[in-house]
């Protein structure tokens, strides 16, 4: 009886057949049909309606109709209703004979055709809604996959751009140290190797414990301390309860690099870079402070590739635009990063 359909759809057709048969059976009894004619009529009608509904299901599923009831569907339902009437009349003329068919079946033809037409229009509407929900779900899933792919591509691009300028500066420093202090040059090479190993193995979309990020930042600062000597000092204030909190990898290094650039480049004095990490009610707060001289540089919040890239990364990962903020207090420049819960 069934065309090739899923188990769920087959079960729906079975339920549909039973309900249609029972409703028709009681309608016939109310109209004083004999019981033997009523149950034969209702059962046979239910089976035909079920088969026609399946045909309508397949046509609706594989057609490209954009509206549930248009001229195409309306005409299709009219044709299927006419086919139903032809089948039911032919069957009962054969089973009951012309006399009983004329007495019981023929007077009920108009009402029966209207009921079947209404059922098939409802079926058509149901399958159209079902089909379009599936299409919308597929389109939505495709858009999600495309967005994920674009996000990953953009994050990877940001990742690739974070490294070269730091690497070039380090290599230049190594070149300068090779002649005047080979021991420090060798130490810097080892530190740079450890730092790059930790950087290159990171998946930029996979979150890591803040403890790993702090260790990576310390490796970076050791390299920079060789470059700047006693002028660069660091202060860490890390809440021990935060150490396993997950954050995006390679998040702090561009901030620290920014702090060094604007803290040391315009000064000959000792400079302290402060890094603080603590829990807040709405997430993990990371704070970096560095001195800056407003007369030496026009330091604008959000300017420069480092801070801009971090802001963009945070937006792509957490879909929030205000996770990185900057402020000035006296001669301190403060960068705050919030990792939401």
């Amino acid at each position: 009886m069934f065309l090739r359909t899923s188990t769920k759809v087959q079960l729906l057709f079975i339920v549909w057949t039973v309900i249609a048969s029972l409703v028709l059976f009681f309608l016939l009894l109310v109209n004083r049909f004999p019981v033997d004619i009523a149950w034969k009529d209702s059962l046979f009608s239910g089976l035909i309606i079920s088969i026609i509904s399946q045909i309508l299901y397949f046509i609706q599923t594989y057609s490209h109709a954009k509206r549930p009831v248009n001229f195409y569907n309306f005409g299709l339902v009219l044709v299927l209703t006419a086919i139903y009437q032809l089948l039911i009349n032919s069957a009962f003329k054969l089973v009951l004979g012309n006399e009983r068919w004329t007495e019981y079946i023929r007077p009920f033809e108009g009402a029966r055709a209207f009921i079947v037409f209404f059922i098939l229009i409802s079926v058509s509407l149901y399958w159209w809604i079902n089909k379009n929900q599936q299409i919308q779900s597929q389109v939505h899933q495709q858009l999600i996959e495309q967005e994920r792919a674009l996000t990953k591509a953009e994050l990877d691009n940001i990742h690739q751009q974070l490294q070269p300028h730091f690497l070039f500066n380090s290599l230049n420093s190594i070149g300068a140290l090779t002649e005047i202090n080979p021991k420090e040059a060798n130490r810097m090479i080892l530190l740079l190797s450890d730092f790059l190993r930790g950087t290159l193995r990171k998946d930029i979309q996979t979150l890591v414990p803040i403890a790993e990020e702090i260790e990576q930042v310390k490796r970076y600062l050791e390299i920079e301390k060789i470059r700047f000597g006693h002028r660069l000092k660091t202060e860490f204030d890390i809440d021990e309860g935060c150490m396993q909190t997950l954050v995006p990898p390679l998040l702090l290094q561009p901030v620290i690099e920014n702090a060094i650039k604007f803290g040391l480049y315009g000064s000959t004095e000792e400079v302290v870079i402060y890094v603080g990490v603590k829990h807040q009610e709405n997430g993990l707060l990371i704070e970096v402070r560095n001195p800056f001289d407003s007369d030496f540089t026009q330091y604008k919040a959000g300017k420069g590739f480092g801070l801009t890239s971090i802001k963009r990364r945070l937006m792509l990962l957490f879909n929030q635009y205000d996770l990185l903020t900057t402020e000035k207090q006296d001669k301190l420049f403060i960068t705050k990063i919030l990792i939401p819960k």
Side-chain angles (χ1 to χ4, degrees):
M1 167 183 155
F2 294 104
L3 298 171
R4 189 176 179 183
T5 57
S6 67
T7 303
K8 181 180 177 181
V9 173
Q10 288 181 2
L11 181 61
L12 184 60
F13 281 131
I14 292 171
V15 173
W16 208 310
T17 301
V18 172
I19 292 174
S21 298
L22 288 174
V23 169
L24 190 57
F25 177 72
F26 286 110
L27 283 174
L28 294 174
L29 289 181
V30 168
N31 283 274
R32 298 180 181 179
F33 274 59
V35 175
D36 65 318
I37 295 179
W39 76 260
K40 290 175 183 176
D41 188 325
S42 59
L43 180 60
F44 192 61
S45 293
L47 290 172
I48 294 175
I49 290 172
S50 178
I51 293 171
I52 290 175
S53 296
Q54 288 186 70
I55 294 171
L56 192 57
Y57 161 74
F58 276 94
I59 293 173
Q60 194 76 50
T61 300
Y62 296 107
S63 72
H64 300 283
K66 294 182 179 179
R67 294 184 296 277
V69 181
N70 53 23
F71 288 114
Y72 169 76
N73 285 332
F74 190 82
L76 179 63
V77 171
L78 279 176
V79 170
L80 292 174
T81 302
I83 291 173
Y84 164 83
Q85 287 290 91
L86 179 63
L87 290 174
I88 205 75
N89 285 334
S90 300
F92 278 106
K93 279 183 181 180
L94 184 64
V95 173
L96 301 178
N98 283 332
E99 186 176 334
R100 297 192 77 189
W101 176 83
T102 302
E103 181 180 357
Y104 291 107
I105 305 300
R106 188 171 183 178
F108 199 62
E109 274 189 307
R112 185 197 302 277
F114 176 78
I115 292 170
V116 172
F117 179 80
F118 178 77
I119 290 173
L120 294 180
I121 281 289
S122 301
V123 170
S124 178
L125 179 61
Y126 173 81
W127 292 130
W128 179 86
I129 292 172
N130 184 65
K131 171 189 172 182
N132 279 271
Q133 284 178 340
Q134 291 177 353
I135 292 173
Q136 288 175 8
S137 178
Q138 291 172 356
V139 170
H140 181 65
Q141 189 61 36
Q142 288 173 355
L143 288 174
I144 290 175
E145 293 300 324
Q146 289 174 0
E147 187 175 348
R148 284 176 181 168
L150 289 172
T151 299
K152 187 177 187 306
E154 186 167 352
L155 286 171
D156 288 341
N157 184 52
I158 291 171
H159 185 194
Q160 294 302 318
Q161 292 182 63
L162 288 176
Q163 304 309 320
H165 48 289
F166 161 69
L167 182 58
F168 295 150
N169 289 338
S170 298
L171 290 175
N172 288 333
S173 297
I174 291 170
L177 286 170
T178 301
E179 304 231 349
I180 62 174
N181 194 338
K183 186 176 179 180
E184 282 295 273
N186 185 61
R187 179 167 168 258
M188 193 170 183
I189 289 171
L190 294 175
L191 287 170
L192 182 61
S193 176
D194 286 342
F195 175 80
L196 292 177
R197 188 180 297 112
T199 298
L200 295 174
R201 71 185 177 206
K202 301 292 186 186
D203 179 352
I204 201 164
Q205 286 188 294
T206 302
L207 303 182
V208 299
I210 186 67
E212 287 188 24
E213 188 69 4
I214 294 298
E215 286 303 311
Q216 186 72 351
V217 164
K218 287 180 178 179
R219 292 189 193 101
Y220 168 75
L221 284 168
E222 285 300 311
I223 297 170
E224 294 294 66
K225 283 179 181 179
I226 295 175
R227 290 181 62 205
F228 294 102
H230 70 280
R231 293 177 53 217
L232 175 59
K233 303 294 182 183
T234 56
E235 179 184 342
F236 286 88
D237 181 15
I238 312 296
D239 184 350
E240 290 299 322
C242 301
M243 297 304 279
Q244 295 307 309
T245 303
L246 299 179
V247 299
L250 307 175
L251 183 70
L252 285 179
Q253 186 261 329
V255 180
I256 302 299
E257 186 173 354
N258 233 36
I260 291 172
K261 176 181 178 182
F262 290 98
L264 275 82
Y265 284 14
S267 172
T268 57
E269 299 177 359
E270 183 179 285
V271 168
V272 178
I273 306 295
Y274 168 89
V275 179
V277 180
K278 63 181 179 180
H279 271 305
Q280 287 195 154
E281 185 177 346
N282 55 344
L284 183 74
L285 179 65
I286 302 170
E287 185 175 318
V288 177
R289 301 177 197 162
N290 63 274
F292 83 103
D293 187 349
S294 58
D295 294 331
F296 175 75
T297 179
Q298 296 297 317
Y299 203 136
K300 296 182 181 180
K303 299 297 182 182
F305 178 76
L307 295 184
T308 302
S309 68
I310 293 171
K311 198 163 192 173
R312 180 64 179 164
R313 278 185 66 195
L314 292 170
M315 188 276 292
L316 290 171
L317 290 169
F318 299 106
N319 198 29
Q320 289 183 230
Y321 292 87
D322 57 348
L323 296 179
L324 185 148
T325 57
T326 58
E327 61 181 270
K328 298 175 186 176
Q329 291 182 6
D330 298 326
K331 288 189 176 286
L332 282 180
F333 189 85
I334 302 172
T335 304
K336 294 181 180 180
I337 298 174
L338 178 65
I339 306 299
K341 289 183 177 180

